[in-house]
Amino acid sequence: MAVERDIFGISGPTYLNPVSWNCENNRRSVAACLVQAVYVLERDRQLNRQSVDAAAPPWWEFFHFEMIRKLVDDVDLSIFGAIFEFNPPSSKEASAQDAPRFVIAFRGTITEKETISRDLSLDLHLVQNGLHKTSRFAIAMQAVQNVASAFPGSLIWLAGHSLGAGTAILTGRNMVKKGAFLDSFLFNPPFVAAPIEGIRDERVKHGFRIARSVITAGLAIAMKAKTEGNNQRSVAEESFNILSSWTPYLFVNPGDHVCSEYIGYFQHRRNMEDLGAGFIEKLATQNSIGDLFYKALGWESEPLHLLPSADLIVNVSPSPDFKYAHGISQWWQPDLNLQCNKYRYS
């Protein structure tokens, strides 16, 4: 797919082969474009672009979607998400088979004066494992629940980028606990931990990961003994087991320190199992040092990055800079060099 765009990518896609909804590349590209649509919706609002001047509609109309609702933040009144409904010219077309009926997409941080204060405050909540306590998440969660309840059995996708990926993870996790497994496309999802993946020396990197796993597992055992007793399964373990059947798609770039730690998170788990230290890593995978610290202080904490299972898609194509490595535009580009691994928790 080729795309014409200015700094916000507002011109929309100009070419794409007919969409095959079973094609992973097409699914990724469409999900990324719908997330981009939310970014452009908010910029349309900020710049007062209306009617024929609005730049966002091509981003969904090109794929035969309709935008049926904007999700608006109650603090700064910005558009942070949107609900799209698939409406092909003919429901009997082969291209309509396996398509999602609804896609609920969430944008990330926009560093413009109209949004930067609110978005950065939410970024801080995310770092503190507290995004679930914000009103923006409550609005997103209610929107997803409403669609799922009104259209039971319909194929629903979640999609998000950066902060928006964090929102999508939280909503997806909560829907799993309600018995609904939604396909989730998470672009550059934040991983709140020290960026060990950036260390070039593999032995040093591996050593840091082992040390972190041992410390995390030790703290988890100590807290479990203190708060729950040795004969009970921990809350973290129960939650992890419930989530294990949900397999979101994680799209990460090694050059993006915001999300690159997912690469080591999953690979290290496999390495520890090969070393016979699977028990230690199992505890470490279910917990984080930051989460344990917050809980020790009595704070409610829900770390987003602790995922049991995932399809991890890594863009190993060259990235000129961090802005590109963290950007949404890379994910609709043609001929990406992608490495894909499936991780399943058991």
Side-chain angles (χ1 to χ4, degrees):
M1 177 174 63
V3 177
E4 291 180 356
R5 65 186 190 280
D6 62 11
I7 189 171
F8 284 97
I10 63 173
S11 298
T14 59
Y15 169 80
L16 183 73
N17 292 329
V19 174
S20 169
W21 293 100
N22 288 321
C23 173
E24 293 181 354
N25 289 333
N26 284 350
R27 287 156 58 92
R28 180 195 75 243
S29 298
V30 172
C33 285
L34 293 179
V35 172
Q36 173 71 357
V38 182
Y39 278 105
V40 185
L41 271 170
E42 171 55 18
R43 286 300 286 162
D44 280 348
R45 183 191 74 86
Q46 293 177 8
L47 299 174
N48 198 29
R49 295 189 298 230
Q50 301 180 27
S51 187
V52 296
D53 295 323
W59 286 95
W60 62 79
E61 292 175 348
F62 188 83
F63 304 106
H64 304 300
F65 280 90
E66 293 181 4
M67 195 272 295
I68 61 174
R69 182 187 167 191
K70 302 172 184 175
L71 302 181
V72 177
D73 190 282
D74 63 339
V75 175
D76 65 359
L77 302 182
S78 67
I79 300 167
F80 72 89
I83 303 174
F84 302 98
E85 183 175 10
F86 188 55
N87 187 22
S90 170
S91 61
K92 296 182 180 180
E93 288 186 7
S95 62
Q97 295 179 5
D98 301 312
R101 179 166 182 185
F102 297 98
V103 178
I104 306 171
F106 307 102
R107 66 165 175 84
T109 302
I110 295 179
T111 56
E112 298 291 331
K113 64 180 186 296
E114 295 90 346
T115 49
I116 189 168
S117 177
R118 174 62 168 164
D119 284 357
L120 289 182
S121 73
L122 291 165
D123 289 332
L124 181 59
H125 278 288
L126 188 151
V127 170
Q128 296 174 333
N129 297 333
L131 189 61
H132 62 291
K133 296 183 286 187
T134 66
S135 59
R136 180 177 291 189
F137 166 69
I139 294 168
M141 189 68 231
Q142 189 62 58
V144 173
Q145 284 184 289
N146 289 346
V147 173
S149 299
F151 302 93
S154 294
L155 181 57
I156 301 171
W157 286 6
L158 299 177
H161 173 247
S162 192
L163 173 62
T167 303
I169 290 175
L170 268 181
T171 54
R173 287 164 63 110
N174 281 358
M175 291 304 293
V176 169
K177 295 172 184 177
K178 298 175 184 296
F181 294 79
L182 307 184
D183 287 355
S184 300
F185 298 79
L186 310 172
F187 301 100
N188 303 83
F191 192 105
V192 182
I196 297 176
E197 188 62 27
I199 299 174
R200 296 192 176 186
D201 189 306
E202 289 297 326
R203 290 177 299 177
V204 174
K205 184 190 300 185
H206 191 49
F208 270 116
R209 292 200 192 284
I210 291 176
R212 186 168 68 183
S213 293
V214 171
I215 293 170
T216 304
L219 290 172
I221 291 172
M223 286 198 63
K224 179 180 178 182
K226 179 179 179 181
T227 61
E228 299 177 355
N230 291 320
N231 296 321
Q232 297 182 16
R233 301 177 76 180
S234 70
V235 174
E237 185 177 0
E238 290 287 359
S239 177
F240 224 65
N241 288 332
I242 291 170
L243 292 172
S244 61
S245 297
W246 179 50
T247 310
Y249 300 96
L250 306 184
F251 299 92
V252 306
N253 188 309
D256 175 16
H257 61 79
V258 173
C259 66
S260 63
E261 194 57 28
Y262 275 107
I263 301 170
Y265 172 77
F266 285 107
Q267 185 59 50
H268 181 62
R269 184 199 302 178
R270 184 173 290 174
N271 292 341
M272 292 289 278
E273 291 171 354
D274 293 342
L275 290 173
F279 172 73
I280 292 175
E281 188 56 28
K282 202 166 193 176
L283 285 173
T285 300
Q286 296 168 4
N287 299 274
S288 73
I289 294 175
D291 179 47
L292 293 169
F293 173 75
Y294 289 132
K295 287 178 178 176
L297 295 176
W299 299 355
E300 184 183 354
S301 174
E302 186 169 352
L304 304 180
H305 61 275
L306 301 182
L307 295 172
S309 306
D311 283 4
L312 183 67
I313 301 95
V314 182
N315 180 13
V316 295
S317 306
S319 297
D321 51 33
F322 169 76
K323 183 177 180 181
Y324 179 85
H326 186 64
I328 186 66
S329 66
Q330 65 186 295
W331 299 112
W332 62 67
Q333 302 300 330
D335 304 322
L336 289 178
N337 185 4
L338 301 177
Q339 294 180 352
C340 306
N341 287 285
K342 298 180 183 293
Y343 295 96
R344 302 295 181 264
Y345 180 80
S346 60

